[in-house]
Amino acid sequence: MSFSEITLSLSHSRTVAAEVRKQISGQYGGSPQLLKNLNIGGSVSHHTTVPLTEAVDPVDLEDYLITHPLAVESGPLRDLLEFPPDDIEVVYTPRECRTLVSAVPEESEMDPHVRDCVRSYTEDWAIVNRKYHKLGTGFNPNTLDKQKERQKGLPKQIFESDEAPDGNSYQDEQDDLKRRSMSIDDTPRGSWACSIFDLKNSLPDALLPNLLDRTPNEEIDHHNEDQRKSSRHKELFALHPAPDEEEPIERLSVPEVPKEHFGQRLLVKCLSLKFEIEIEPIFASLALYDVKEKKKISENFYFDLNSEQMKGMLRPHVPPAAISTLARSAIFSITYPSQDVFLVIKLEKVLQQGDIGECAEPYMIFKESDAAKNKEKLEKLKGQAEQFCQRLGKYRMPFAWTAIHLMNIVSSAGSLERDSTEVEVGTGERKGSWSERRNSSIVGRRSLERTTSGDEACNLTSFRPATLTVTNFFKQEGDRLSDEDLYKFLADMRRPSSVLRRLRPITAQLKIDISPAPENPHYCLTPELLQVKLYPDSRVRPTREILEFPARDVYVPNTTYRNLLYVYPQSLNFANRQGSARNITVKVQFMYGEDPSNAMPVIFGKSSCPEFSKEAYTAVVYHNRSPDFHEEIKIKLPATLTDHHHLLFTFYHVSCQQKQNTPLETPVGYTWIPMLQNGRLKTGQFCLPVSLEKPPQAYSVLSPEVPLPGMKWVDNHKGVFNVEVVAVSSLHTQDPYLDKFFALVHALDEHMFPVRIGDMRIMENNLENELKSSISALNSSQLEPVVRFLHLLLDKLILLVVRPPVIAGQIVNLGQASFEAMASIINRLHKNLDGNQDQHGRNSLLASYIYYVFRLPNTYPNSPSPGPGGLGGSVHYATMARSAVRPASLNLNRSRSLSNSNPDISGTPTSPDDEVRSIIGTKGLDRSNSWVNTGGPKAAPWGSNPSPSAESTQATDRSCNRMSSHTETSSFLQTLTGRLPTKKLFHEELALQWVVCSGSVREAALQQAWFFFELMVKSMVHHLYFADKLDAPRKNRFPERFMDDVTALVSTIAGDIVSRFQKDTEMVERLNTSLAFFLNDLLSIMDRGFVFALIKTCYKQVSSKLYSLTNPSNLASLRLDFLRIICSHEHYVTLNLPCSLLTPPASPSPSVSSATSQSSGFSTNVQDQKIANMFELSVPFRQQHYLAGLVLTELAVILDPDAEG
């Protein structure tokens, strides 16, 4: 039958189809399944009739497996029928460290917040692994990373057809052939004689050994097989790229490992710097600026290209240089590349008498070609320079600058397929010719693993390396040194009629290589000067990684310890200061006390100097009482700061002329910035008053704005010194709401009261209200710091759920507040970072947290989380689901427990009578603060309840009217340690809080249900792991009250899907898949009969709505997606009990006896009914092979939607 005939026959009326089925069923003696009454098979099997439109009660799979052990011996069939004992494993994987030495604080004593941060950045990944997950359809074996891994080491295949023939060689070959053919009596080319001649003159092929030997066929086959296997790729067919297809709905991608963020990386090598005259050392720095954002987007890179002779002029002032300060190449990171990024080069020289114009004049008038003619003048200039170097060698002055429009170079350099390029850059425009040179040093290219924004054309990963020769520099203007002036200059450079081009330049030659950074460069140093792997030899000149200051926020959690401070002196106004103060420099020191010896060696060196120093000086603008500054001073912050840590600024007048009785430098002012203000790091813009006298004792704890008695100030205590302080830290949040939350949490851990936050002193008696308000105020914090400290923030919120604090002898429940905060935070991430989501709406940052970071918190303060190295007696808190130990004040039956899910319950009842009164008085008013006897009659076995709706309602009532946690002894309450180490389990608390929440909190949780589901599953697995229950019978793994909560939760969420699928389509699709993945996960860790009952609950709710709709396609599609995800489980076959007997004695699997009986045809006796049940969706079949029964039922209903039932 042709396809058109099939289509035509299917278009007939359903009456015709029914007649055909009736005719066929008659031929088979009335087989039950082929009759129009689809559910007659159930009655034949003496079972309750269940229509196909309803789900049957599942078999109690756990009991069945115990009572029906497998009879199959070892072999592949047994592996298919038996659940593996090692199905789930908890793996602690050491996190990969980029550097040879881990980045951790040097101090041994750390405060609690620092300790928590360091732990968060160094502890192993805690991964729950389903070992056989790759056997399910949800596993994708051909990811892009795996394809790349497989292709490593493959030889590049070059075929003749891919190579274009060279015209000259082809012509030479033709001429040679002509000469050879003419050598035998001008025989025409292509004739028989010519062919004989060519054959005689050609070289013979190598002989095939043993070609004519008699060899058995088996030996030849074996030899050929060995040859095929030699050098054969082990996954040959997997090398072929997967066809373009829509990602299957049952596929969940493994989240990316959390790691340090890098943008597109650019390698800049500084090769040489040469002026027309060489008379003194010149010091250079590089930095990236974004003109549009008006922001410096990288820290400075300092490099020294002076000759040894020039360096020798400064020897008295410069200690031996550290190898890290001799770098001449740097790797810049750009997260948001754009057409507005410039590479700015600034030059400085040793301070000398005269303004910048006078000092730059010789460089503009003398030419290298006239060196002989101007020899005497040059010698005089060199002598003067030597004198200034000897006397003023530690001071600098601004000299010149230039800028390179980065994207012009990148776009002109073009693709990587060509060789590198040499470009000559003049005054803001490219000129000169292009010349080619080979550069084979760049081997690999770093593929951007994180999404970076910016102009699509601004790709820094695939241009060919370019060598730039910068020929012109602009003289620095003493009154135009600020960043604002620089942005104006850079904007002007892009105009055709640039003002800068009309200025007289300083002629020089700076050669720079610019190329995409290799994936794993050798001899690389981090911004903290740590050696990056690989670093074979510490004596080699290093490459510096330059820290990026992204033009816009980057939403990536902290994963490494970093604690840097950047100080930018901007301007000083001494116009109204009495006395001589014209050549002004600012000495910057980081102090841990008031004594001059308390300066800390934490200031990073620039170039050709020690790694760290105790002080840094700004450049001097000659004879200027109100100078601008353009320095960047980089400081390594101590991990733990005190009230005495501060930045000290000392202002000096430098005497450029050598006079008798005149000191080289004279202090003319002092000011300072305390590093901490009410416990928070002090950063930002400051306009500080300057004192004329040394600060008094204990000044460091005060601000210079405070009018200290008896002190003299410049300009009547007005702000005259502008400075900016910027922190790049993975310790300091720099957000007041996060700071307050962390401070209060650590105060609880350490029991340190009062807590000073801002202008408030929080005593213990009002700590509870402050803590609750700080949790709710987390929603007001900035998103960028929330994301940066996401891992630590979620850890602390989870800790508050499982370990409620004890404040003033009262247990304070924070489970509800913490749950609300988590729901709010993850929704903020979902709404604001929509580009970071997979096909199921899972935010990649949150998925990574669950997969790698989350673990059950320890129940004891100041002890590490459970892990491979810290498993001791205290860690096994999770072996108890909930403590049965009661405080002395709670002399109740042990079957009752006290609710901590109700924030209003902060104390303990005084007597059982009071407790009973509270039960009666509150019953039914608040679902989360009622009492229930959890030791009542056990529920009927899962799957045997004839009324699923009653079952789910009952479970909901039970979970809503019971407590959430237990307490320890009353003697412990009186110790006031700050935390109650109760044995609360996170998954139990999470399920309960979710069930009892309502309103906007419930809506927020539903929006991101996947997060809470995955968090719950991982908590359950960790609990089983630490309690040594992964091998325990599944019915004994979790308490009944937790299973009640899960039942209630699944039932209510299924109800949400049914009631809202037409209104909130996108949200319901996410909720549906999240629920399906949750149940899929539960099949691996819980009572499987219980999970089947949950599936039945969902089916019943959907069915009741589905068949009342006129257009049920959307809801039916949701149910099919739900079923598809559940059936993608790796043990799908095993879950369906493929070789089990049906009860009563019908068997869906053919045995020897049933096979022999097939010849007798279908009859009405019991033996023949066993064969008939093989081909029908009977109730026993659907119960025993539960998931397969659901799939086949869906198919049956779709093929015959008008059938009865």
Side-chain angles (χ1 to χ4, degrees), residues 66 70 82 325 483 594 650 655 771-772 845 1006 1122 1205:
I66 293 172
L70 284 175
E82 189 175 43
T325 65
D483 280 350
E594 286 87 6
T650 308
S655 178
L771 192 54
K772 288 181 178 179
L845 304 181
L1006 286 179
F1122 175 86

Side-chain angles (χ1 to χ4, degrees), residues 129 253 428 520 597 612 805 925 953 1143 1177 1191:
N129 186 22
S253 57
N520 296 303
S597 63
F612 292 98
L925 296 178
T953 305
T1143 315
L1177 284 175
V1191 174

Side-chain angles (χ1 to χ4, degrees), residues 74-363:
S74 297
L77 185 59
R78 187 180 184 92
D79 293 339
L80 190 65
L81 304 179
E82 189 175 43
F83 287 94
D86 58 344
D87 194 22
I88 299 284
E89 62 179 357
V90 177
V91 182
Y92 284 87
T93 305
R95 67 171 70 201
E96 184 179 349
C97 182
R98 293 183 65 239
T99 53
L100 295 177
V101 179
S102 182
V104 292
E106 297 173 357
E107 298 91 334
S108 56
E109 293 292 326
M110 294 182 282
D111 68 37
H113 178 67
V114 175
R115 192 166 56 243
D116 283 344
C117 288
V118 172
R119 174 195 54 78
S120 176
Y121 305 146
T122 56
E123 68 183 356
D124 296 343
W125 303 129
I127 300 173
V128 171
N129 186 22
R130 283 162 63 173
K131 291 182 67 173
Y132 303 95
H133 183 58
K134 61 184 179 181
L135 302 178
T137 58
F139 178 76
N140 181 14
N142 286 323
T143 62
L144 185 60
D145 290 337
K146 288 188 178 179
Q147 284 284 82
K148 290 179 180 177
E149 187 66 29
R150 292 189 187 106
Q151 292 167 5
K152 282 184 178 177
L154 288 178
K156 186 177 181 181
Q157 303 292 332
I158 300 176
F159 301 97
E160 294 177 1
S161 59
D162 297 332
E163 295 181 318
D166 185 45
N168 295 332
S169 61
Y170 180 75
Q171 188 60 42
D172 293 341
E173 186 180 345
Q174 293 300 313
D175 294 342
D176 181 55
L177 288 173
K178 287 180 181 178
R179 282 194 298 274
R180 283 193 288 167
S181 61
M182 292 297 290
S183 61
I184 51 166
D185 304 323
D186 297 332
T187 305
R189 184 79 181 121
S191 68
W192 175 81
C194 175
S195 300
I196 291 293
F197 176 77
D198 288 345
L199 188 61
K200 288 181 178 180
N201 286 277
S202 63
L203 294 174
D205 292 336
L207 295 175
L208 296 175
N210 307 322
L211 179 64
L212 302 178
D213 293 353
R214 290 185 177 274
T215 309
N217 291 340
E218 295 79 5
E219 187 177 332
I220 294 175
D221 291 342
H222 182 71
H223 178 68
N224 290 340
E225 184 180 357
D226 289 342
Q227 283 194 317
R228 282 196 302 272
K229 287 182 178 178
S230 66
S231 303
R232 180 184 175 124
H233 198 282
K234 61 181 179 180
E235 295 178 293
L236 184 63
F237 294 105
L239 291 172
H240 192 276
D244 293 332
E245 61 179 356
E246 189 175 343
E247 191 74 6
I249 195 168
E250 69 269 22
R251 240 168 229 177
L252 272 184
S253 57
V254 175
E256 192 176 327
V257 178
K259 55 187 167 185
E260 186 178 355
H261 168 77
F262 292 106
Q264 299 186 32
R265 306 226 300 170
L266 199 68
L267 176 62
V268 178
K269 293 181 180 179
C270 305
L271 305 178
S272 64
L273 175 62
K274 186 179 179 183
F275 288 87
E276 295 286 347
I277 57 175
E278 186 181 24
I279 57 174
E280 61 185 330
I282 301 293
F283 312 95
S285 67
L286 284 176
L288 293 174
Y289 288 81
D290 190 314
V291 178
K292 184 177 180 181
E293 299 290 337
K294 289 192 174 181
K295 186 173 181 181
K296 186 171 187 275
I297 61 172
S298 80
E299 64 176 348
N300 286 347
F301 168 57
Y302 299 95
F303 60 98
D304 185 354
L305 297 175
N306 292 298
S307 64
E308 289 302 319
Q309 180 187 2
M310 293 296 106
K311 288 180 183 178
M313 297 170 68
L314 290 172
R315 201 152 284 135
H317 298 280
V318 181
I323 187 71
S324 62
T325 65
L326 301 179
R328 292 180 178 175
S329 54
I331 295 177
F332 291 87
S333 172
I334 307 178
T335 300
Y336 301 106
S338 73
Q339 297 292 338
D340 306 294
V341 176
F342 282 82
L343 185 66
V344 176
I345 303 138
K346 294 182 180 179
L347 304 180
E348 291 182 346
K349 61 189 292 297
V350 173
L351 176 62
Q352 70 179 73
Q353 186 178 358
D355 64 24
I356 300 172
E358 294 175 34
C359 300
E361 188 68 20
Y363 290 90

Side-chain angles (χ1 to χ4, degrees), residues 29 207 345 442 497 574-575 583 787 821 862 1040:
L207 295 175
I345 303 138
I442 307 301
S497 58
F574 269 9
N583 306 327
V787 173
N862 302 329
E1040 183 183 330

Side-chain angles (χ1 to χ4, degrees), residues 1087-1101:
D1087 177 348
R1088 287 156 288 206
F1090 166 71
V1091 181
F1092 285 163
L1094 296 179
I1095 296 171
K1096 179 196 171 186
T1097 300
C1098 298
Y1099 251 73
K1100 183 172 181 62
Q1101 296 207 39

Side-chain angles (χ1 to χ4, degrees), residues 703-773:
S703 169
E705 282 91 353
V706 177
L708 297 173
M711 285 193 68
K712 296 179 181 178
W713 300 87
V714 175
D715 204 4
N716 200 23
H717 205 195
K718 291 180 181 176
V720 293
F721 176 53
N722 289 291
V723 60
E724 183 181 13
V725 179
V726 177
V728 180
S729 174
S730 57
L731 293 184
H732 301 280
T733 68
Q734 301 177 72
D735 181 277
Y737 302 101
L738 289 176
D739 280 340
K740 181 179 180 181
F741 171 73
F742 285 132
L744 291 174
V745 170
H746 292 123
L748 278 174
D749 284 337
E750 301 295 308
H751 199 68
M752 296 173 61
F753 301 102
V755 186
R756 188 169 186 84
I757 298 176
D759 298 327
M760 297 172 54
R761 292 178 77 246
I762 300 173
M763 306 302 293
E764 189 176 4
N765 56 5
N766 66 337
L767 179 62
E768 177 183 346
N769 291 332
E770 289 295 333
L771 192 54
K772 288 181 178 179
S773 67

Side-chain angles (χ1 to χ4, degrees), residues 499-518:
V499 176
L500 291 169
R501 291 178 188 167
R502 299 196 292 269
L503 298 179
R504 188 179 177 188
I506 297 173
T507 306
Q509 274 200 345
L510 173 64
K511 282 198 172 184
I512 295 177
D513 261 355
I514 298 182
S515 61

